[in-house]
Amino acid sequence: MTTRHLIDRLGGLAFGGDYNPEQWDEPVWKEDDELMRRARVNLATVGVFSWALLEPEEGRYDFSWLDAHLDRLHANGVAVDLATPTASPPPWFTLAHPDAMPVAPDGARLTHGSRDTYCLAAPAYRDATVRIATALAERYGGHPAVAMWHVHNEYATLCWCDHTAAAFRDWLHARHGSLEALNEAWGTAFWSQRYAAWDQVLPPRSTQWHRNPGQALDFRRFWSDTVLAAYREQRDAIRAHSDRPVTTNMMLPGYQNLDLWALGREVDLVSIDHYPSAPGLDAAADTAFGADRARSFAGGRPWLLMEQGTSTVYDRDRILGKEPSEILRHTLGHIARGSEGALFFQWRQSRAGAEQWHSAMLPHAGADSRIFREVQAVGEAVARLGELAGSTVTAQVAVLHDSDAWWALEVDGLPSADLDYHGTLRRAHRALWDAGVTVDFAHPGHDLSRYRLVVAPALFLLSDAGAANLLRYVADGGTLLVQYFNGFVDDRLHARLGGYPAMPLREALGIRVEEPRPLRRDERIVLSDGTHGTVWSESLRTEGAEASVTYTHGMLAGKPALTRHRFGAGRGCYLSTHLDDPGYAALIARLLDEAGVGPESPGLRPGVETVTRQAPDGRRWQFVLNHRADAVRLPEPALDLLTGRPADELPPGGCAVLLRY
Ligand code: GAL
């Protein structure tokens, strides 16, 4: 099943959110119907947390209340994204299956009272999830209200229990083939960690000091595969009774213990939840970061923003409101990057319960409120963009992302505590976003030939195949920027011997890194061009590359900090420190220039974002989002789909979707 089904069904883009009517009663449902019409809601996610109502006791189902809500929504013109409720097992489940409650690394077993409390490796839990998914699919597989399926919610819970240990051993057996190979891969010859029998092997539970890095990395891989298997079981149970597309919502940017490339291949439609925690321009950049990742995980196909908030979520210790017009700009920031609409968590703010202070489309204050009026305006705007459904976005630049590299950078015992996988990726994306270019994410093993510039900010782990692929990319004419502590280990976390990064990538870069030299916390070093480095430095020598910037102090004085190398038809650049913001922005600008990539819309001031969606028949729509506090003139005025009138200027915080065909 493809997105086309959803697009045809909605006749445009999706607008709506999580709808939890079980919290309310008849008069409120009536009001919901009316207000959903006013807000132009056409898709509601129903049932995400409804397990206790759907199956009040093990094996006894009650669908009557859900029948009534689906019929009501359908009669009101609202299609349903029907969820399986498995992210929140009811209290009876804990009592019947205490062994299916998750265990923390220190051995503490959790219990119900919150949500997401289950062990994906526990057979009782997996069986229960397939049973309820099957029961829902049998009943609603062909229901006219159901436009798509939403399996589970944000698979995230990890577990270290005995079920997990048994499943982990099976997984390790399949991956390594023998205990000997596992010992070799994990380097157990050191610290007397050698395993003499499979039942000695455990998940990485609490222990005295550094945990074995190979064990930690394999556990993350194993857990990702466990999640995918659990998702597939429910998806297939649904597919047996329904032809509607199936998804599960990804949590971005990085707190999900999952290989999102792999998940992207399993779902009919990639869907993401995105909640920027910082306000202002940072929130807009974060929106782009999340949306560009979603589109990339979807393999360039359309995807869906499943959840966002009308306020930010916790920014450390508080919920910060969005400024007027920010809800629209965030919504359009996602749609501009290929989302087939915009949904929120949740439709109506809870009166009681755990997320009582979480924002919603309809706040406690009711319809007579700024937030609901903005939501109505956003619904109106989304409705006007219906003709964009199914169109896509292309990028000439990619940032490389690999979950193996992410997980590798989280093991114990690394040379610096300041290495931050997602922070480093975000920074590369932000510099490109500030430069006004549209960015894809790609895996180091993907075909990169369509990109003029590829940035590899944090591939500490790089497989042999990845290194060979990057070499090929440069040889064939690409421009590649590799940043420090890249390609230092292979996919077993074994150090590359004889110099870093991995061969044959080193050939494309024309360098050999001999010694990593992490910097002290807050240490700043001066480089020959006046920029500064923090976090990290490296002693490296050129092997064909030219040093364009050097270190100026200490034992690295005069040695290369930034190098460039012509290789084949392309260019490989290596940056061996964490450059300061202006220095990094200037480097990215230079590389873009050399790679022949210009901003989406030249001549626009900083803080004005542009992205273009295009249809296969050549139609193009240019989104222009003014995140500035002053008005901006548009260099090339055109008809604005949001107003139906020509636009030549945007007010502070204003947006336009310009027809470019
Ligand atoms: C999401 C979750 C929703 C809601 C929301 C609050 O991660 O899927 O159920 O809790 O966060 O921000």
Side-chain angles (χ1 to χ4, degrees):
M1 259 300 113
T2 62
T3 329
R4 198 70 246 171
H5 183 106
L6 182 71
I7 295 169
D8 292 347
R9 172 64 200 277
L10 297 177
L13 300 182
F15 187 68
D18 276 49
Y19 182 41
N20 300 298
E22 58 267 45
Q23 301 175 99
W24 306 96
D25 52 15
E26 184 86 43
V28 176
W29 299 332
K30 286 221 164 69
E31 192 190 51
D32 286 340
D33 289 342
E34 190 225 316
L35 295 180
M36 281 187 185
R37 280 197 300 276
R38 270 168 57 187
R40 309 200 58 150
V41 166
N42 62 6
L43 186 65
T45 302
V46 177
V48 175
F49 299 120
S50 304
W51 198 342
L53 282 190
L54 289 170
E55 192 179 358
E57 56 190 64
E58 189 149 21
R60 182 170 71 77
Y61 298 108
D62 175 8
F63 293 118
S64 53
W65 66 275
L66 187 56
D67 290 348
H69 287 306
L70 293 200
D71 292 346
R72 177 171 59 82
L73 287 163
H74 186 55
N76 199 34
V78 178
V80 170
D81 167 33
L82 188 57
T84 65
T86 51
S88 201
W92 62 252
F93 181 82
T94 321
L95 301 179
H97 306 287
D99 65 303
M101 290 294 101
V103 170
D106 66 359
R109 193 180 282 284
L110 309 187
T111 190
H112 62 262
S114 180
R115 69 176 203 202
D116 301 301
T117 317
Y118 52 79
C119 168
L120 280 177
Y125 175 74
R126 291 278 282 274
D127 291 350
T129 60
V130 174
R131 275 200 310 272
I132 185 115
T134 305
L136 282 163
E138 277 170 0
R139 188 165 187 99
Y140 300 110
H143 193 291
V146 176
M148 62 185 283
W149 289 91
H150 180 299
V151 166
H152 199 86
N153 191 60
E154 297 182 335
Y155 280 103
T157 306
L158 283 154
C159 177
W160 285 260
C161 75
D162 289 343
H163 290 304
T164 299
F168 186 38
R169 284 179 206 121
D170 290 346
W171 184 93
L172 290 168
H173 208 145
R175 181 177 178 91
H176 295 284
S178 70
L179 203 53
E180 206 175 312
L182 174 112
N183 277 307
E184 166 65 17
W186 289 7
T188 60
F190 195 52
W191 278 8
S192 185
Q193 291 182 346
R194 186 172 179 77
Y195 296 102
W198 278 105
D199 60 6
Q200 296 169 0
V201 181
L202 297 173
R205 294 178 178 157
S206 298
T207 185
Q208 181 60 22
W209 200 39
H210 290 346
R211 286 161 307 174
N212 179 291
Q215 179 191 20
L217 173 60
D218 270 352
F219 184 68
R220 302 289 292 265
R221 290 168 165 154
F222 150 74
W223 200 258
S224 181
D225 284 353
T226 304
V227 171
L228 293 176
Y231 167 73
R232 272 195 299 265
E233 273 168 18
Q234 288 204 42
R235 179 200 65 194
D236 294 347
I238 291 167
R239 280 187 179 165
H241 302 281
S242 185
D243 63 356
R244 321 283 148 90
V246 186
T247 189
T248 183
N249 46 343
M250 297 179 178
M251 201 192 327
L252 293 184
Y255 354 88
Q256 203 161 17
N257 302 297
L258 194 51
D259 174 1
L260 297 174
W261 294 117
L263 183 59
R265 292 188 290 270
E266 299 287 349
V267 293
D268 294 326
L269 169 70
V270 160
S271 62
I272 66 156
D273 301 343
H274 186 262
Y275 296 94
S277 53
L281 202 58
D282 290 344
D286 195 74
T287 298
F289 181 70
D292 284 336
R293 280 164 67 93
R295 184 184 65 254
S296 306
F297 295 137
R301 293 171 296 155
W303 56 278
L304 182 61
L305 175 66
M306 183 62 83
E307 289 182 26
Q308 64 171 338
T310 55
S311 72
T312 63
V313 181
Y314 293 100
D315 176 25
R316 273 160 291 210
D317 54 0
R318 62 207 68 214
I319 294 172
L320 300 173
K322 289 189 181 176
E323 294 302 309
S325 84
E326 247 187 328
I327 305 174
L328 177 62
R329 275 180 289 127
H330 292 172
T331 299
L332 294 181
H334 284 288
I335 294 176
R337 292 182 160 74
S339 178
E340 285 300 295
L343 309 186
F344 291 77
F345 178 87
Q346 57 177 325
W347 161 250
R348 185 183 277 275
Q349 189 172 17
S350 298
R351 179 169 41 188
E355 293 195 291
Q356 154 182 55
W357 299 111
H358 192 283
S359 67
M361 300 168 82
L362 184 58
H364 290 153
D368 182 10
S369 60
R370 173 190 72 89
I371 288 181
F372 187 68
R373 279 187 286 277
E374 281 205 32
V375 164
Q376 275 183 278
V378 175
E380 186 58 41
V382 173
R384 286 171 172 266
L385 300 180
E387 66 179 71
L388 275 76
S391 59
T392 54
V393 177
T394 51
Q396 296 181 302
V397 179
V399 172
L400 298 184
H401 161 70
D402 178 9
S403 340
D404 269 359
W406 160 33
W407 297 330
L409 216 48
E410 296 201 337
V411 302
D412 294 340
L414 293 181
S416 169
D418 294 336
L419 300 162
D420 167 5
Y421 181 79
H422 280 108
T424 311
L425 246 66
R426 213 180 257 280
R427 188 164 191 261
H429 181 272
R430 175 67 184 261
L432 291 160
W433 185 79
D434 284 338
V437 301
T438 302
V439 181
D440 276 352
F441 287 84
H443 186 275
H446 284 168
D447 174 7
L448 301 170
S449 56
R450 67 172 171 281
Y451 301 115
R452 290 174 172 227
L453 171 67
V454 168
V455 181
L459 297 179
F460 161 52
L461 177 157
L462 182 62
S463 67
D464 293 347
N469 193 42
L470 295 185
L471 172 110
R472 204 160 36 240
Y473 168 70
V474 178
D476 291 349
T479 299
L480 173 69
L481 172 65
V482 175
Q483 296 176 202
Y484 60 94
F485 203 38
N486 242 281
F488 273 45
V489 295
D490 65 14
D491 51 13
R492 297 190 306 172
L493 281 177
H494 288 200
R496 299 290 184 177
L497 303 181
Y500 320 105
M503 285 299 260
L505 173 59
R506 256 171 52 200
E507 281 174 22
L509 299 171
I511 56 146
R512 175 172 174 267
V513 177
E514 186 183 319
E515 183 186 341
R517 294 189 59 83
L519 300 179
R520 288 188 299 276
R521 194 177 307 284
D522 301 329
E523 185 178 356
R524 268 161 67 88
I525 48 170
V526 181
L527 306 178
S528 59
D529 63 351
T531 59
H532 294 85
T534 57
V535 180
W536 194 265
S537 64
E538 282 168 1
S539 169
L540 67 90
R541 67 168 186 239
T542 54
E543 291 185 345
E546 123 209 13
S548 37
V549 177
T550 53
Y551 292 100
T552 60
H553 287 95
M555 67 160 263
L556 296 184
K559 290 200 169 181
L562 173 67
T563 63
R564 306 152 53 82
H565 184 47
R566 290 207 154 275
F567 181 80
R571 199 179 355 244
C573 304
Y574 189 77
L575 173 63
S576 64
T577 185
H578 187 87
L579 267 190
D580 58 32
D581 287 347
Y584 192 59
L587 171 62
I588 291 289
R590 231 169 24 243
L591 291 173
L592 285 168
D593 199 41
E594 287 169 12
V597 182
E600 282 268 343
S601 181
L604 279 174
R605 317 234 307 265
V608 185
E609 183 179 2
T610 25
V611 193
T612 304
R613 271 180 81 146
Q614 57 206 41
D617 61 9
R619 288 175 300 153
R620 290 165 67 240
W621 301 268
Q622 185 183 44
F623 287 69
V624 191
L625 314 180
N626 179 14
H627 303 296
R628 299 171 61 95
D630 54 1
V632 290
R633 291 207 69 75
L634 298 173
E636 294 176 74
L639 191 72
D640 175 11
L641 217 57
L642 296 177
T643 59
R645 293 190 299 275
D648 55 9
E649 182 176 286
L650 288 183
C655 306
V657 180
L658 304 173
L659 293 186
R660 292 289 184 210
Y661 52 83

